[in-house]
Amino acid sequence: AAGVIQSPRHLIKEKRETATLKCYPIPRHDTVYWYQQGPGQDPQFLISFYEKMQSDKGSIPDRFSAQQFSDYHSELNMSSLELGDSALYFCASSSDRGQNEQFFGPGTRLTVL
Amino acid sequence: QQQVKQSPQSLIVQKGGIPIINCAYENTAFDYFPWYQQFPGKGPALLIAIRPDVSEKKEGRFTISFNKSAKQFSLHIMDSQPGDSATYFCAASEGTSYGKLTFGQGTILTVHP
């Protein structure tokens, strides 16, 4: 079965640089979520999209923005990167307006030097 | 403030043992309670989930017990195996919030051969 695809899998950036993370949801899933997981921490919700519109927003810094495109893939844009942004970033997708199970991608490990 | 509290932080059992992980929540609007298994560097994988209209759900070796009045739920792993060694997260979501998940702090389970 098709799973959530994330790219790149690893990313190394310098402080104050910009990063773009991509997520391709499971086919026919209409809702996409982004989560951030620091070392030894639980995943923290950042933002979600339903049918290309932002549906909910969590603890996402103003330096971050995201969008969902017409093909349902989503991108998380992160600017002015800080050391504290180093984390695993997960994308998850769900069907039926998020009423069903969320399936997570393999994650993008971002390291900010 | 952690909306979903999980315990214990770590757990060590022998092969064949029955580890039990507990979670408690405060938000009575939560109506969906999944459990995820995560291996190092990987995305969380959905194990089993329950809604408040049932008190117990079993899938294979995994069982969720749910106590709505106490606002608690737990995961039991029957006949645990070394391959079950992973971090387990409980989570919760509200039906009105397009499914964003609030996670517990995680439990690191080690199953010795």
Side-chain angles (χ1 to χ4, degrees):
Chain A
V4 177
I5 298 171
Q6 291 188 247
S7 67
R9 294 295 310 279
H10 302 273
L11 193 56
I12 299 175
K13 292 286 185 179
E14 299 279 343
K15 279 175 55 178
R16 292 180 289 278
E17 285 192 323
T18 297
T20 297
L21 280 55
K22 296 185 178 183
C23 168
Y24 297 84
I26 292 171
R28 292 179 295 283
H29 278 197
D30 53 22
T31 310
V32 168
Y33 312 81
W34 286 96
Y35 294 86
Q36 177 192 58
Q37 185 177 32
Q41 304 294 314
D42 56 286
Q44 295 289 315
F45 171 73
L46 293 177
I47 195 167
S48 63
F49 292 88
Y50 168 70
E51 288 289 346
K52 302 175 282 290
M53 299 289 290
Q54 180 181 307
S55 55
D56 202 353
K57 193 172 181 180
S59 50
I60 183 169
D62 292 340
R63 301 178 288 108
F64 294 7
S65 65
Q67 58 182 323
Q68 186 180 29
F69 295 85
S70 58
D71 64 352
Y72 292 94
H73 95 272
S74 178
E75 294 183 4
L76 177 65
N77 297 293
M78 310 159 71
S79 63
S80 303
L81 287 170
E82 301 174 356
L83 297 178
D85 295 329
S86 295
L88 269 169
Y89 290 83
F90 291 107
C91 171
S93 73
S94 176
S95 61
D96 194 20
R97 289 176 172 244
Q99 297 303 304
N100 293 326
E101 296 86 346
Q102 282 185 40
F103 295 92
F104 281 73
T108 294
R109 180 175 295 280
L110 172 66
T111 303
V112 181
L113 302 176
Chain B
Q1 184 183 359
Q2 194 78 21
Q3 290 195 53
V4 179
K5 296 184 179 179
Q6 183 173 344
S7 63
Q9 281 190 308
S10 61
L11 188 54
I12 300 173
V13 300
Q14 293 295 126
K15 178 182 174 182
I18 306 175
I20 300 173
I21 305 171
N22 300 296
C23 284
Y25 63 97
E26 290 298 324
N27 186 349
T28 54
F30 285 149
D31 62 357
Y32 174 69
F33 303 90
W35 284 89
Y36 284 86
Q37 177 191 58
Q38 187 178 31
F39 293 102
K42 305 294 184 184
L46 179 66
L47 272 178
I48 186 172
I50 199 169
R51 294 194 183 271
D53 53 344
V54 297
S55 60
E56 186 174 283
K57 184 175 181 180
K58 183 176 181 179
E59 286 185 4
R61 296 186 294 111
F62 301 97
T63 300
I64 298 180
S65 297
F66 186 83
N67 186 330
K68 187 175 181 178
S69 60
K71 292 184 286 186
Q72 295 175 349
F73 58 110
S74 60
L75 176 70
H76 302 230
I77 305 175
M78 311 302 287
D79 187 27
S80 58
Q81 302 295 313
D84 295 330
S85 298
T87 300
Y88 292 79
F89 289 98
C90 63
S93 70
E94 300 176 36
T96 57
S97 67
Y98 288 89
K100 80 175 177 190
L101 292 171
T102 299
F103 284 86
Q105 301 96 316
T107 296
I108 301 172
L109 172 65
T110 302
V111 181
H112 286 310

